Structures are given as C-alpha cells and as structure tokens.
Amino acid sequence: MPAARSSSTTSPNLSEPFFQTGGAVQAAVSQVVAGGISYFTSASNEGSTFYQHGFQGIRTTLPGLSGNYLANNFATAAKPSPFESLTIAKGATATIDLQWDDPFASIGSGHEAASSLGMVLYDSNGKIVAYMMKNDVGGNPNQIMQFTNTTASTSFRLAIVTNGGGTTPNLFKFIVYGQGTAINDPAAGKGSGSVIGHELVAGANTVGAVAASATPVFGGNNHVESFSSAGPGMILFDADGNRMIEPARPGKVEFMAPDGVATSVFSQFYGTSAAAPDAAAVAALMLQQNPSLTPGQITAMLARSAVAATGPAGATGAGLIQATTAVQLAAAAPRATPATSVLLSYAAPEANSWAQAAAAQVNPVGAAIAAVLGEPGALADFTAFIDPADAVVMPGADGPGAGTDSFAMLNNGNQMVVPIYQDWGRA
C-alpha cells in the first residue's frame, strides 16, 4: 500500500453542483483520494445563510417586469408572497448561488436541465437592483447573481421565478456567499446545509472552524464559528446525471480545527480556510511520526483525538481535533515500510503548460491535478507532496532552472509540501 500523503483546498467554486456528483473538481478530489492522498478541504464560510425548499408556484406580477410570472411562494397558502426578505449590510457584497434539482449538462452525458429558475432582487422601494434571468433549459441548473449594497438601506426582497421549460423543479436551494447578508425567514438554514461540491466527496476531510479564543484554554466551550458551513449535504444525481432512487446524505463535516491565529501574513487568520490547513498540518506531523499511515487511519485518528464541540447539527463533526493526541496515536500505530513518494506537480506562474504535462505523467493522482489545472472555474488551492530527490529538477516560482527554494514549505521526514496554485496571481 502506498504511503499516505496529505493535501488541502480552500474556497468555494461557484460552478460546483449542490445536488450532483461528478463535477470536474469533485472528480479530481475523488481521484486524489483514490491515489492514497489524505485530502483536506475547508467546509466554506456560509454557515446557515442558505434557503432550501420545494418550489411552490404562485401566479403573480412583479414590479418592473411585464406580464405574469410563476414565482415561488415564500409565505403561506392563505397569505402568499413572492418575496423573501434579505438584510444586506451597507457596503457588503452578496453573491447568491441558486440551484435546483435538475442534472448538469456539463457533467456526464445525455442529461441536462429541463427547467429554469431566475432571480430578481428589489430594494425597499420596490426598485430592481440586480437580476439573473438566463434561461438554463438544456444547460446547468445554476444561476449566480452578485450585488454590492451602495444604497442607503439594508432591506431587500428576493423573488425566484420560472423562466423557461415546460416543467417546474421539485426542489431548489440558494446559498449566499459573502459576509453581511441575512435571510430573514425562520425556514432559512434548514435542510441539506451549505457544504457542497467537492466538500461532499467520500474520503475527503471537510474541516469546520472554531476560533482559537473559543477553546477551553481561553475559557471557551469549543463553539463552532457562526460562519462555518454545515452538512449533511444532499446528492440527488449520480455522475451521469441519473436521478438516484434515494438521496445520499454524506453527513459532512468530519471535524473542526482552530482559526483566528496570528500568522506571518495575517494578524489573525479567520475562516475555514485557516482551519483546513491547520488540520492538514497536524496530518503532516502524524506522517512525520509514522509515514506508513493510510488516509483512513489519519482521518480516524484525528476524529479520535477530537474533543466535544458545540454548534448547529452537521457543523461540528467529531469535534475539535487535538494535535498532541493525534500525533501520539500516529506514533503508537504499527509501522510499515513506506513506498516511494508520488510526484505530483508545482504550477509556477510561468509554467502552466509544463505543470499540466508533468502532472499528467502521474496516474491517477497527477491526471486529477491536471484536470483541475485545466478547469477555468477551479478556485481551490491544492497542496501535494514531492520527493526531495525530484525537487531538484523542478522549476521554481520564476520558471524552469530558478531553483528549489519555493518548494521547501514544510519538512515532513523525506517529503516536502508544495503548493499548487490554480490562481497564477498568487505565489
């Protein structure tokens, strides 16, 4: 069995499906996990800022639009209303990702969205301030609308209407990305959660966040950060776009790690984007003690090390991991002779084509990374291990022949951690 290695990602990808497997990033993560990588990803930072419900259509007119629309009823049958109340702080940017239960045309083959939904956002005076009404029939069941509040008010209303196709969806969900927005509805935050896409992949370690200041050493009770996203997720379609007989509920998050710690870059680094690499770093220390640990063993030991945490259902997982306990468990586990390290790739800013070619030479893990490098919508930062003997022939951040200093981020026995950036603007 190959020696275990770890990698991590952060940041949501707005093209990832809520209700389907098999997307480009999901497939890449699945292949990485299958290749013996212990994979960590942030749970995202949307907390309970989502709304999921069966579509309940009412015929109505809408301000600023001509004709009648079939809009979702956000109120009661006795007193229907096509509007959902939102509070958007002044200066805040709300990115609303709306999806519904149709298969993605871009995933698999022979399946596509048979219905379409659109969104219209109104200010407190009934004026349209943003809308997304693209007809998605035949494409992906996905609308994304962004609005920055430069108005004098914080009160807004959202309408969701059908805008194409001969059918209506059974279920829809929208998630609001960006801090400063609240959904003023008691039904908000209920359902399958705000963990989506590659965060739901089996075998991936999806990590929530607890503020370091909320841990017992500082007098806290390990309460999850309010923004830390929750599961369990809901998968309605397989990778070929076929509707599943019974929905799958992956049950993410696995466990939590701290955020809000000062770094050399941030005075305090907050978010699940901080928690995920914290957990991956503990896994690296575990591998340093016992390089023969499998990904399954690492996940199980991290979960065993965790102490109880408080927070919404689906957000806390096994609890807050404890580095000392996890490393002790790793040191006490039986050891095996590790196999040779797997070489993935380092995507230097000037070396995109080189990185894809190098990654494609390593199967199946390298092919997975190459797939992500070729996906324009992939926002995740990947971390991979390489053997130091291979590092001397790899290009540095300034291109081939520039040296290997950029590779030495963390010494892990006979391995080093290498960041692979999809966003070439970062180094």
Side-chain angles (χ1 to χ4, degrees), residues 39 162 178-179 232 306 334-335 358:
Y39 187 92
T162 61
Q179 301 301 303
R335 296 168 181 267

Side-chain angles (χ1 to χ4, degrees), residues 4 283-289 385 410-417:
L285 293 173
M286 295 166 69
L287 286 169
Q288 189 173 39
Q289 284 292 322
F385 288 91
L410 174 65
N411 187 347
N412 180 34
N414 65 345
Q415 297 172 329
M416 290 187 289
V417 177

Side-chain angles (χ1 to χ4, degrees), residues 27-28 31-32 344 356 358-374:
Q31 291 181 35
V32 167
L344 296 183
Q356 294 186 50
Q361 295 173 9
V362 185
N363 294 311
V365 181
I369 297 297
V372 174
L373 293 175

